[in-house]
Amino acid sequence: MGIEDYGGGQGPQPDVLVVTTNDVPGRRVERVIGEVFGLTVRSRHLGTQIGAGLKSMVGGELKGLTKTLVETRNQAMERLVEQARVRGANAVLAFRFDVTEAADVGTEVCAYGTAVVLARE
């Protein structure tokens, strides 16, 4: 896996801008639509779990689990963006991720933020 397999985020010209800040320079919030989120739960693959257990004995990165978490976060973010788009937003402010264990069978990832309509100042 190359470095591009370990990241996420948006391309250079997204139709729905997602930022972790509460504002965007040069833009003003014209309308607040409200909270949006994207949620996904992924189960762990048995082979990955066994490999992770063995790797934990010698130390080092758990690449299989890292790849799964990146894919999971990206899917949650895609769902958040789609929800914002459908509700008429062109941006999501105060974007965050929340990650929790789901009943010892998987990982729940929730991407959330505030959907807004931004206008140029």
Side-chain angles (χ1 to χ4, degrees):
M1 286 185 351
I3 191 68
E4 65 277 355
D5 296 322
Y6 290 101
Q10 298 182 287
Q13 297 294 323
D15 63 326
V16 176
L17 178 66
V18 178
V19 296
T20 59
T21 57
N22 293 326
D23 52 26
V24 176
R27 304 275 196 261
R28 64 179 167 74
V29 175
E30 187 172 86
R31 184 168 51 105
V32 174
I33 294 171
E35 179 195 10
V36 289
F37 67 90
L39 180 68
T40 185
V41 178
R42 294 274 179 109
S43 64
R44 296 185 188 108
H45 182 276
L46 180 60
T48 302
Q49 282 298 98
I50 292 170
L54 294 172
K55 186 70 171 186
S56 68
M57 288 190 262
V58 296
E61 181 181 10
L62 305 173
K63 290 185 179 184
L65 291 177
T66 299
K67 182 180 179 189
T68 299
L69 186 55
V70 168
E71 290 169 352
T72 304
R73 286 173 60 124
N74 287 343
Q75 183 178 46
M77 186 171 177
E78 288 168 8
R79 290 177 178 177
L80 165 116
V81 168
E82 184 58 28
Q83 187 180 92
R85 183 182 295 117
V86 166
R87 293 180 63 191
N90 65 1
V92 175
L93 304 179
F95 169 73
R96 303 286 188 271
F97 281 112
D98 184 45
V99 180
T100 57
E101 293 297 310
D104 294 329
V105 296
T107 302
E108 172 191 333
V109 175
C110 182
Y112 64 95
T114 303
V116 300
V117 175
L118 295 179
R120 293 192 184 278
E121 289 186 331

